[in-house]
Amino acid sequence: MSNDDPKTLVSTQWLADHLNSPDLRIFDASWFLDEPDRDAFAEYQAVHIPNARHFDIDDVADHRSELPHMAPPIEKFMSRMRSMGVGDGHQVVVYDSAGILVSPRVWWLFRLMGKPDIAVLDGGLPKWLAEGRPVEDMPPVIRDRHMTVSRQAQMVKDVTQVAAASKLGDYEIVDARSPGRFCGEEPEPREGLRMGHIPNSKNVYYADLLNKDGTMKSPDQLKAIFEAAGVDLSKPVINTCGSGVTACITGLALERIGHRKHSVYDGSWSEWGMYNDLKVATGDA
């Protein structure tokens, strides 16, 4: 496929063709927010793409923060990657069991750490399995590899920066949550949060960026979706969502259409929705 790009998105065929490359590292980043009965690590142990390592976004996170799975300090990221045998010179491919859901969060995290040689597997594990491609239940052989990291501060925004952007309008703020949550008509999955959205943000529901088989839509289709939502693509974009996971899907989509100036509000609605002194808008505007 001509759409394969080892810095954004690769097809199952691309991964199959490169599966035995010595410098390829694969992550299974499956994670379940709304399905407490499912155990991502147990499912990984039972079935995963050959040589895949399990990536837990709640573990590779900043545990000093009360907010869920915030980006970890550089030192923790490096030590976790080293323990998984991932380092300099590796091409990483990340997938999840939903198609495309959590994998872009890992893609964004690597880019935040200055490691751009990472791609999301288009269609994820469901597409891989549907095509009858190989899987295993064996843990990978880990070999230590040094990793150098250079944090790209422009790729992440905090609440103060987002509040300023909301007032000044110098950034587009794109909210990847469902229209019901964006409008304040649907309850939040996390308790204690207000309903609604950041004032002056635009709603681009992450699911609208995906095809029914869990693959990402074409760059032309993606661009049309952003434009239909009123997003001015001449401005830099701050992506937000419930807890900084699906915001990375809109980030990946922006990268696919050639829009390079995008960042993630890491606290997202888990933070904004908690503080009564931050303004909330409701409805579709």
Side-chain angles (χ1 to χ4, degrees):
M1 280 174 64
S2 58
N3 284 335
D4 286 322
D5 173 11
K7 293 188 188 308
T8 56
L9 198 66
V10 293
S11 63
T12 49
Q13 185 60 54
W14 186 98
L15 182 57
D17 291 344
H18 292 81
L19 206 52
N20 296 318
S21 166
D23 284 327
L24 179 73
R25 294 293 179 270
I26 305 170
F27 283 133
D28 180 326
S30 303
W31 173 82
F32 309 108
L33 171 63
D34 302 325
E35 300 171 90
D37 297 337
R38 293 183 72 181
D39 180 333
F41 185 60
E43 290 187 23
Y44 157 80
Q45 287 179 305
V47 175
H48 55 258
I49 294 175
N51 291 317
R53 290 116 165 95
H54 183 249
F55 193 109
D56 181 350
I57 62 166
D58 287 324
D59 174 56
V60 188
D62 187 352
H63 289 166
R64 301 166 304 179
S65 172
E66 293 178 2
L67 296 166
H69 40 254
M70 295 286 279
I74 283 177
E75 301 76 24
K76 183 171 187 178
F77 180 80
M78 285 197 295
S79 69
R80 287 290 192 276
M81 292 311 102
R82 193 164 190 165
S83 70
M84 287 195 260
V86 178
D88 293 343
H90 283 145
Q91 168 67 46
V92 180
V93 173
V94 58
Y95 71 86
D96 62 59
S97 59
I100 293 180
L101 183 66
V102 190
S103 44
R105 172 72 188 186
V106 180
W107 170 82
W108 171 80
L109 195 54
F110 265 69
R111 293 173 67 88
L112 175 67
M113 298 295 176
K115 311 300 285 184
D117 293 326
I118 179 166
V120 168
L121 180 63
D122 203 14
L125 187 61
K127 190 166 192 287
W128 185 268
L129 293 174
E131 293 166 353
R133 299 189 187 274
V135 290
E136 64 181 16
D137 58 2
M138 300 285 293
V141 176
I142 302 291
R143 292 184 183 87
D144 206 352
R145 175 80 75 105
H146 178 69
M147 178 180 270
T148 48
V149 165
S150 173
R151 195 172 185 273
Q152 307 296 302
Q154 77 280 5
M155 292 204 65
V156 66
K157 295 285 186 275
D158 64 25
V159 66
T160 309
Q161 293 168 308
V162 177
S166 171
K167 275 183 189 160
L168 298 173
D170 50 346
Y171 286 80
E172 288 283 30
I173 302 173
V174 170
D175 190 326
R177 292 176 303 155
S178 68
R181 286 171 69 189
F182 180 83
C183 294
E185 295 163 358
E186 213 175 277
E188 287 296 312
R190 292 179 178 83
E191 282 184 32
L193 298 181
R194 297 172 297 163
M195 299 197 306
H197 60 265
I198 298 167
N200 299 316
S201 56
K202 312 275 172 64
N203 189 204
V204 178
Y205 183 29
Y206 78 88
D208 292 341
L209 303 171
L210 306 175
N211 297 307
K212 284 182 180 168
D213 65 354
T215 56
M216 188 163 267
K217 290 181 176 174
S218 73
D220 286 347
Q221 290 172 307
L222 297 174
K223 189 165 187 253
I225 290 166
F226 281 105
E227 288 172 345
V231 179
D232 181 352
L233 293 170
S234 70
K235 291 182 181 179
V237 175
I238 299 170
N239 296 292
T240 183
C241 60
S243 66
V245 174
T246 57
C248 300
I249 300 177
T250 54
L252 178 63
L254 286 165
E255 193 73 19
R256 290 291 286 173
I257 64 174
H259 191 295
R260 304 280 181 253
K261 291 187 176 177
H262 54 86
S263 54
V264 167
Y265 170 26
D266 207 10
S268 280
W269 198 253
S270 297
E271 182 174 39
W272 193 281
M274 188 170 51
Y275 292 113
N276 289 327
D277 55 341
L278 293 169
K279 288 181 180 172
V280 166
T282 53
D284 56 9

